[in-house]
Amino acid sequence: MTLLRSGSATDTGLVRSVNQDLAVETGTLFAVADGMGGHAGGEVAARLAVDTLTVAFGAKPSGTGLSEAVNEANRVVFEHSMDNPELRGMGTTMTAAALVNEDNRDVIALVNVGDSRSYRYHEGELTQITVDHSLAEEMVRSGEISESEAAVHPHRHILTRALGVSDDVAVDLWRIQPTRGDRFLLCSDGLTNELDAPQIAEVLSTVPDPQVAADLLVRAARTHGGSDNITAVVVDVVLDDEDSGADVADDGAPAVAAVAAVAADFRTAADEPVADQVPGDDDIVEVLPGPEPLKPKFRDRSRARRKARRAARGRRLITVRTLLFVVLVGAIVFGAYFAVRWYDTNAYYVQVNNNELMIYHGRVGGGVLYKPVEVERTGVTTADIPAYAVPGLVTGIQEDSLKAAQAYVAGLVATQHQATCAQNPFAPACTTPTTVVPPPGVTTTTKAP
Ligand code: MN
């Protein structure tokens, strides 16, 4: 009986704004899908593919069933893309591993389409099982470029196979005998672009817990640049076919570990991957449409330059933002200052001071930013104006302008004058001296009071 234990982790990375990777862990089925396509395309493709795969494999849990499930997933994604113009051109990679029982033997069936990868860590050695379906990989196999050239080749992300791009896709299938202690790693290219095989092996050989190992791998890829979405699924073979119940109880003594030597991975002739065929031009599909998803994929991978660029962008952004902030705050402060000051100074008032009516520039009671200033002593006393106006003038009577303030005072004086003269026409103030032009010889006198 074979028993598996797994862990998985995914991260958007440092450059992308959304995570179009998807990981699956169901106990017997494990998969990584790396969606691609602008707008929501990549996420939709990965989700559709993973859901279809899970259901289809559940209906036929075998090696062939897993391969057919990938074909079914391809069909569903492709049809959905045809039915929805806004999703046209979306696609996804798919690498999946499943525990199946064939001919009374437990087998790990492993399938792949695209440039996500599956590795097997076996007896201290890490082996890449899958073959990337990328243009760069094809060029390596045809001898045009070397393996190390492929790792930095500008076309390394152009896929020659993906799910959802056409109505049919060739699926690579492997069958591997699980051996206790084996670890399988399924991951998206976001992990393998940042970490090389020795770095991956380092984590797998030192971190026993599959969940912790997956977390650590994703975090390491993020630290190394994180230029793409990163996803890792680690699947450990805890027990294999050779283990009995006794071995489970006796945890420290793996009596049958030596069987591992026999358990080399094997492929059946019928399931030989089609990957070795060099595809014709018709098979080469550029799966990444539009400039949006292409841009980050083609960026200069030199870590130093990338860092410098990011740092420069960060600095510039902060400077511009800070400047805008300062200018905005300055404008608000100045605006408020001038508004208040304008309010304070755009007014005059009349107030009684020592029985005399005075005109001040400013607001009654004083403004916030402007202390009232005396601008005119009118010479008018409280005796010269109607008594009813005095209490208001003790507090202060606000006017819009100096002229208005003067007119107000003059009005009060005139009112009082009229009232006085109405009561006593002979009051001194009412007897306006009149100058009569005297006829010649006549002595005129001015009426004395
Ligand atoms: Mn990717």
Side-chain angles (χ1 to χ4, degrees):
M1 138 190 187
T2 304
L3 195 66
L4 305 176
R5 207 168 139 233
S6 67
S8 70
T10 187
D11 191 275
T12 306
L14 300 169
V15 174
R16 303 297 185 87
S17 55
V18 289
N19 193 345
Q20 301 188 321
D21 281 4
L22 216 49
V24 177
E25 262 183 286
T26 68
T28 53
L29 175 66
F30 310 91
V32 166
D34 178 353
M36 53 202 76
H39 306 292
E43 288 150 286
V44 173
R47 172 54 63 192
L48 275 177
V50 155
D51 288 351
T52 308
L53 178 88
T54 309
V55 172
F57 172 73
K60 191 179 177 184
S62 66
T64 315
L66 183 63
S67 178
E68 287 172 6
V70 176
N71 272 305
E72 175 69 5
N74 172 69
R75 211 177 44 73
V76 169
V77 176
F78 178 67
E79 281 172 7
H80 195 79
S81 147
M82 288 296 111
D83 293 344
N84 298 273
E86 75 278 8
L87 297 173
R88 208 55 68 80
M90 69 175 176
T92 182
T93 72
M94 177 68 77
T95 189
L99 178 64
V100 296
N101 193 279
E102 292 181 342
D103 304 325
N104 287 320
R105 297 189 70 177
D106 285 338
V107 169
I108 297 286
L110 212 146
V111 286
N112 184 58
V113 172
D115 68 348
S116 291
R117 290 178 182 175
S118 288
Y119 291 86
R120 180 198 197 195
Y121 183 75
H122 173 78
E123 296 193 329
E125 229 175 281
L126 186 71
T127 312
Q128 183 182 333
I129 300 163
T130 55
V131 179
D132 294 353
H133 301 138
S134 67
L135 207 54
E137 185 58 38
E138 308 287 356
M139 289 164 83
V140 170
R141 265 181 293 156
S142 67
E144 277 178 71
I145 57 172
S146 71
E147 199 76 59
S148 55
E149 282 171 324
V152 293
H153 196 275
H155 289 169
R156 71 192 178 284
H157 293 297
I158 296 177
L159 301 188
T160 50
R161 272 193 242 172
L163 299 193
V165 180
S166 68
D167 60 352
D168 194 30
V169 72
V171 180
D172 293 352
L173 169 68
W174 292 264
R175 286 182 168 89
I176 302 163
Q177 182 171 327
T179 307
R180 172 153 67 162
D182 278 358
R183 313 191 88 171
F184 291 89
L185 167 67
L186 281 59
C187 61
S188 63
D189 64 333
L191 186 89
T192 51
N193 282 337
E194 308 292 355
L195 303 180
D196 57 22
Q199 288 170 316
I200 294 171
E202 167 88 35
V203 173
L204 292 178
S205 64
T206 52
V207 183
D209 184 272
Q211 181 58 54
V212 177
D215 284 336
L216 226 86
L217 284 167
V218 168
R219 213 179 310 155
R222 201 182 140 91
T223 311
H224 278 75
S227 63
D228 191 6
N229 303 149
I230 312 154
T231 301
V233 177
V234 176
V235 184
D236 289 352
V237 180
V238 180
L239 291 179
D240 64 25
D241 258 353
E242 309 300 326
D243 287 328
S244 67
D247 290 321
V248 187
D250 183 15
D251 201 35
V256 269
V259 190
V262 197
D265 57 316
F266 60 94
R267 307 169 179 185
T268 60
D271 290 311
E272 189 67 31
V274 229
D276 295 334
Q277 306 163 3
V278 176
D281 284 348
D282 291 348
D283 294 322
I284 299 175
V285 254
E286 206 163 313
V287 199
L288 308 172
E292 198 268 315
L294 274 178
K295 215 158 105 198
K297 290 210 164 194
F298 282 103
R299 55 183 32 241
D300 184 351
R301 299 197 48 77
S302 153
R303 204 170 301 151
R305 287 188 60 171
R306 207 162 51 215
K307 260 191 190 142
R309 202 160 42 223
R310 197 154 48 225
R313 195 168 52 223
R315 265 202 305 276
R316 196 166 60 240
L317 267 177
I318 285 164
T319 307
V320 169
R321 255 189 233 159
T322 309
L323 201 75
L324 273 175
F325 181 75
V326 166
V327 166
L328 196 70
V329 168
I332 289 168
V333 168
F334 272 72
Y337 173 82
F338 282 110
V340 170
R341 181 156 172 111
W342 178 86
Y343 176 81
D344 282 354
T345 58
N346 195 40
Y348 291 80
Y349 64 94
V350 185
Q351 199 173 43
V352 171
N353 188 352
N354 282 330
N355 258 13
E356 185 181 355
L357 271 63
M358 314 283 279
I359 298 178
Y360 297 88
H361 182 215
R363 293 275 160 189
V364 174
V368 180
L369 296 170
Y370 184 75
K371 211 168 165 319
V373 173
E374 177 190 309
V375 289
E376 190 178 311
R377 302 182 65 135
T378 60
V380 175
T381 66
T382 45
D384 302 326
I385 59 167
Y388 64 79
V390 175
L393 281 163
V394 169
T395 309
I397 298 294
Q398 197 76 55
E399 293 292 340
D400 288 342
S401 65
L402 180 59
K403 245 188 193 165
Q406 290 166 333
Y408 173 72
V409 174
L412 288 178
V413 171
T415 306
Q416 179 60 15
H417 186 262
Q418 273 173 15
T420 306
C421 296
Q423 267 178 6
N424 179 13
F426 303 105
C430 303
T431 54
T432 320
T434 46
T435 307
V436 180
V437 179
V442 177
T443 308
T444 57
T445 53
T446 305
K447 257 187 195 171

